[in-house]
């Protein structure tokens, strides 16, 4: 199985300025992410960026990079431009690894690529079980409802599926057997579908939930889902996250 990893990395970040270039044990974060991705079975790993400094940092460490526009509304749009610039065939499996995931497990990348390669869906992603009521009711945690064939039916910040009777009695714990799944923000696409995605109208559900994957479902496309046994390591969104990751790299030297 052949696939390509693309790492979108934009310089602007409201919570952590210049995040892709943040130092992690002597290397920029975006380089750490790409190096992790290179441990997967990917045929090629490319950083898609909007800033010359990020491209230069990648070049210093032998990481391929492609320049993209600054004005993309989402990482998926940046990914689509990168695929077009790289002239990838339409049937190429492309795994999108976020540029703030320096702890990404290469095995997850392989598993996601394999999932997409073995389904007729144009897109695939990952989930893991939710065990905590606090997590389930947290709107920052994106929940997913799956069907019997392992495809996503809906993504929401709301607590779904809602256990009517159990939660009427108490919301302190999840009832046994509730199929509560948390979305993991790692995606795989067929290269040709990325161009299709950029032409789809924004869905009303996407606009209100602020979840761009809902555009895919709204327009009748399927998203294949693999379930993980445990949550993967968290990415870097805040200065506190960055310090946590720096400490882990220092401890593992």
């Amino acid at each position: 199985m052949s696939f390509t990893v693309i790492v979108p990395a934009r310089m602007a970040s409201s919570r952590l300025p210049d995040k892709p270039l943040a130092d992690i044990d002597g290397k920029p974060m975006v380089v750490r992410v790409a190096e992790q991705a290179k441990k997967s079975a990917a045929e090629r790993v490319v950083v898609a960026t909007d800033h010359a400094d990020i491209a230069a940092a990648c070049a210093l460490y032998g990481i391929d990079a492609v320049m993209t526009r600054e004005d993309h509304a989402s990482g998926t749009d940046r990914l689509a431009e990168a695929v077009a610039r790289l002239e990838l065939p339409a049937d190429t499996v492309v795994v999108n690894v976020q540029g703030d995931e320096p702890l990404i497990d290469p095995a997850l990348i392989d598993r996601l690529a394999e999932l997409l390669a073995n389904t007729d869906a144009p897109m695939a992603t990952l989930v893991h079980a939710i065990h905590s009521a606090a997590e389930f009711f947290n709107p920052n945690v994106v929940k997913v409802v799956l069907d019997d064939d392992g495809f996503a039916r809906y993504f929401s910040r709301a607590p779904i599926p809602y256990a009517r009777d159990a939660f009427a009695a108490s919301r302190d714990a999840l009832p046994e057997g509730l199929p509560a799944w948390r979305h993991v923000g790692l995606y795989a696409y067929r290269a040709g579908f990325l161009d299709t995605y950029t032409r789809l109208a924004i869905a009303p559900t996407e606009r209100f939930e602020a979840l761009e994957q809902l555009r895919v479902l709204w327009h009748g496309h399927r998203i294949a889902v693999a379930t993980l046994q445990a949550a993967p390591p968290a990415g870097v969104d805040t200065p506190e996250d960055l310090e946590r990751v720096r400490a882990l790299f220092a401890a593992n030297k």
Side-chain angles (χ1 to χ4, degrees):
M1 177 190 61
S2 174
F3 66 94
T4 295
V5 169
I6 298 181
V7 181
R10 66 188 186 96
M11 188 66 87
S13 174
S14 57
R15 287 187 286 183
L16 192 58
D18 301 340
K19 181 163 68 169
L21 298 181
D23 180 85
I24 298 178
D25 198 31
K27 293 183 180 180
M29 176 158 57
V30 68
V31 171
R32 291 292 185 188
V33 175
E35 289 179 340
Q36 281 295 100
K38 282 192 167 189
K39 296 175 185 176
S40 73
E43 181 178 23
R44 188 178 185 188
V45 175
V46 182
V47 171
T49 185
D50 62 351
H51 202 284
D53 288 352
I54 296 175
C58 290
L60 186 64
Y61 291 94
I63 305 295
D64 290 341
V66 59
M67 295 298 299
T68 56
R69 303 197 323 262
E70 294 182 13
D71 59 349
H72 285 303
S74 71
T76 308
D77 293 314
R78 190 175 311 284
L79 199 71
E81 183 187 357
V83 163
R85 289 185 178 276
L86 295 170
E87 299 182 339
L88 297 181
D91 61 348
T92 303
V93 171
V94 177
V95 178
N96 176 9
V97 175
Q98 296 301 321
D100 57 5
E101 298 280 353
L103 302 176
I104 185 73
D105 182 352
L108 293 186
I109 299 173
D110 292 339
R111 182 173 179 186
L112 189 57
E114 184 177 6
L115 171 65
L116 187 64
N118 288 289
T119 180
D120 59 358
M123 184 173 167
T125 193
L126 302 170
V127 301
H128 67 81
I130 298 175
H131 302 290
S132 157
E135 187 176 14
F136 186 67
F137 287 101
N138 183 348
N140 294 316
V141 172
V142 177
K143 276 70 69 174
V144 191
V145 171
L146 307 179
D147 66 19
D148 191 48
D149 294 319
F151 292 93
R153 302 301 295 181
Y154 193 69
F155 297 80
S156 183
R157 299 182 184 280
I160 57 171
Y162 193 84
R164 185 195 63 177
D165 296 340
F167 292 146
S170 172
R171 291 177 29 156
D172 293 336
L174 301 184
E176 185 176 353
L178 182 71
W181 299 103
R182 179 174 186 165
H183 182 226
V184 176
L186 188 67
Y187 294 105
Y189 307 83
R190 299 190 194 283
F193 180 69
L194 283 161
D195 180 64
T196 298
Y197 176 90
T198 63
R199 301 172 192 276
L200 297 176
I202 294 175
T205 49
E206 171 192 1
R207 182 162 56 89
F208 283 100
E209 294 259 23
L211 298 172
E212 62 182 274
Q213 65 268 35
L214 289 174
R215 190 183 316 181
V216 177
L217 300 181
W218 179 268
H219 290 282
H221 301 284
R222 296 199 298 172
I223 301 177
V225 178
T227 59
L228 305 178
Q229 293 299 312
V236 176
D237 290 322
T238 66
E240 292 76 18
D241 293 335
L242 180 58
E243 291 309 312
R244 169 180 52 82
V245 170
R246 283 172 169 165
L248 286 171
F249 270 83
N252 291 327
K253 290 179 72 169

